[in-house]
Amino acid sequence: MKHSLSSALVFALLLMAGCGTADQPTQDTATRTGSGPEIPEADLWLTISDSIGIELGDSNLVLGMPAVAAWMPDNRLAVMDMQKYRISIFTPGGDFITSIGRQGSGPGEFLLPSWLSVTPSGGLAVCDAMAGELDFFSPSLEYTGSLSGFFPSPPVITVFLEDTAFVGMKPEFERNDDGMFMGYLVALWNTSSPQPVITYHRELAPFDPSDMSGITGNMVVFAVSPEGSVFTSKFSTEAYSVNGWNPDGTPLFTITEPFTRVPKTQEDIDTERQYVRDRMRQGGAPDYMVETYEPEPFRYAIVSLGIAPDGNLWVGQGSYNHPVFRVYDHLTGDYLFTAALELTGGTRDLTVQMNQWGFIGIDQISADWPRVYVLEELY
């Protein structure tokens, strides 16, 4: 599994386990060296132009566990640091500007931040998984309030269409006469209510809390175009499929591609098992749940969806060890080109994150010290 999935997966595992506040995470030192299909020749390359984060020195530049980073409309960069429980703001050149948040349960504080979104006006929205709320900050980074009341948790990933409307993905849990069921919801919310306005995807499956291995079966990734079209894809080791939805929830199109299953190497499996189990333990999951988690032995066909600055739909390919994307017209679903991260300065298994203002790379499992990479397009 690509580590771009790991944060959402771990939060889902913790929330379904009913855990409390996470302990202080420790820095990972594992690296990915497993083999996979060779990167195809790309039409567009993403290249590393700069990095943020140092090993020793100024504490504002020493990153703990950067999980999400996003460009802001004014060309500042916001980095969510799970270990430091804060959002740090940098210039494109890596100069520290300021930070917001700290560990705690008060206004503007975080118990377990899981995602960072930038609103169209330049404000920030932080998903606090353990506090059960979304926290909002103005473009000047002042805390303006929160939205709570979600069950069993708030959305763990969000994309804002307007300052008052967002699409999010959240775990769903249901108990009835037939047993316990768990799944995921992708829906549209207004910032005034925890009740979804429009549902694009909702699927539940039987859930056994004593066996956490099957929890990824219904997980879903999504992307949102500026005009509100939504794209969803389930994690699948057998089929390559993306569903597009109009803003009102009616079907737009479906993208399918031929797909041949690719097995993970034993090193891939061992690394993933250790990573996820460590995160579960740090989140307070019971030992019996931690020990039952086993990785899926095959690679997922699709591991991410995103709308890039070019307005196109970028579909992250799971068959490769490194970021490779098939890019489609978000209006028609037509294939346009292939993009990939240029591998320079050694092998890097970066998580590529994108929004309408730019691309960012994060080394979530670092062999030395955590950094955030500024990415540029190279044709």
Side-chain angles (χ1 to χ4, degrees), residues 52 69-72 75-79 88-92 360 372 374:
I52 298 172
W71 288 107
M72 303 171 72
N75 210 32
R76 291 181 296 170
L77 179 63
V79 179
S88 295
I89 309 299
F90 299 92
T91 68
I360 288 295
V372 172
V374 177

Side-chain angles (χ1 to χ4, degrees), residues 145-331:
S146 63
L147 176 63
S148 59
F150 299 95
F151 176 82
S153 78
V156 294
I157 300 175
T158 59
V159 175
F160 274 72
L161 291 167
E162 305 169 3
D163 284 8
T164 58
F166 65 91
V167 176
M169 185 274 284
K170 68 182 292 294
E172 291 278 273
F173 183 80
E174 183 177 297
R175 185 194 299 270
N176 56 39
D177 293 340
D178 296 322
M180 299 170 63
F181 295 82
M182 184 263 175
Y184 299 90
L185 169 75
V186 176
L188 173 72
W189 280 269
N190 291 323
T191 56
S192 59
S193 172
Q195 301 303 316
V197 177
I198 299 174
T199 295
Y200 303 100
H201 172 95
R202 186 177 189 269
E203 186 172 345
L204 304 181
F207 171 60
D208 180 0
S210 66
D211 181 6
M212 306 301 284
S213 297
I215 199 169
T216 60
N218 285 329
M219 287 192 73
V220 61
V221 289
F222 75 95
V224 187
S225 71
E227 67 272 14
S229 298
V230 176
F231 308 93
T232 62
S233 180
K234 285 181 58 177
F235 292 176
S236 173
T237 63
E238 299 181 352
Y240 183 110
S241 179
V242 179
N243 291 315
W245 311 90
N246 291 303
D248 62 3
T250 58
L252 176 60
F253 56 69
T254 297
I255 299 171
T256 59
E257 299 275 5
F259 178 72
T260 301
R261 294 213 302 175
V262 178
K264 297 174 183 174
T265 66
Q266 189 59 50
E267 185 175 3
D268 288 337
I269 293 172
D270 293 343
T271 299
E272 179 187 338
R273 181 192 299 112
Q274 188 67 43
Y275 177 88
V276 175
R277 288 185 178 185
D278 284 350
R279 295 285 80 75
M280 291 177 69
R281 288 191 183 95
Q282 290 162 2
D287 286 342
Y288 77 90
M289 288 188 175
V290 173
E291 296 302 322
T292 62
Y293 175 77
E294 285 293 334
E296 164 63 48
F298 289 88
R299 294 174 181 268
Y300 294 106
I302 293 172
V303 294
S304 67
L305 299 178
I307 300 294
D310 61 9
N312 293 316
L313 174 63
W314 287 47
V315 179
Q317 309 293 288
S319 299
Y320 305 95
N321 273 341
H322 307 286
V324 176
F325 302 88
R326 286 180 66 82
V327 181
Y328 302 86
D329 187 310
H330 82 277
L331 298 175

Side-chain angles (χ1 to χ4, degrees), residues 77-99:
L77 179 63
V79 179
M80 188 190 82
D81 194 320
M82 291 179 59
Q83 185 174 3
K84 292 188 173 182
Y85 295 88
R86 74 180 194 179
I87 312 298
S88 295
I89 309 299
F90 299 92
T91 68
D95 295 327
F96 174 78
I97 300 174
T98 188
S99 67

Side-chain angles (χ1 to χ4, degrees), residues 53-131:
I54 60 176
E55 183 177 13
L56 298 170
D58 185 346
S59 61
N60 290 316
L61 299 177
V62 176
L63 303 179
M65 185 179 175
V68 184
W71 288 107
M72 303 171 72
D74 59 4
N75 210 32
R76 291 181 296 170
L77 179 63
V79 179
M80 188 190 82
D81 194 320
M82 291 179 59
Q83 185 174 3
K84 292 188 173 182
Y85 295 88
R86 74 180 194 179
I87 312 298
S88 295
I89 309 299
F90 299 92
T91 68
D95 295 327
F96 174 78
I97 300 174
T98 188
S99 67
I100 57 174
R102 62 181 181 181
Q103 185 177 12
S105 57
E109 298 176 339
F110 310 124
L111 292 177
L112 182 62
S114 67
W115 194 257
L116 166 71
S117 298
V118 180
T119 67
S121 68
L124 300 178
V126 181
C127 305
D128 192 334
M130 288 305 170

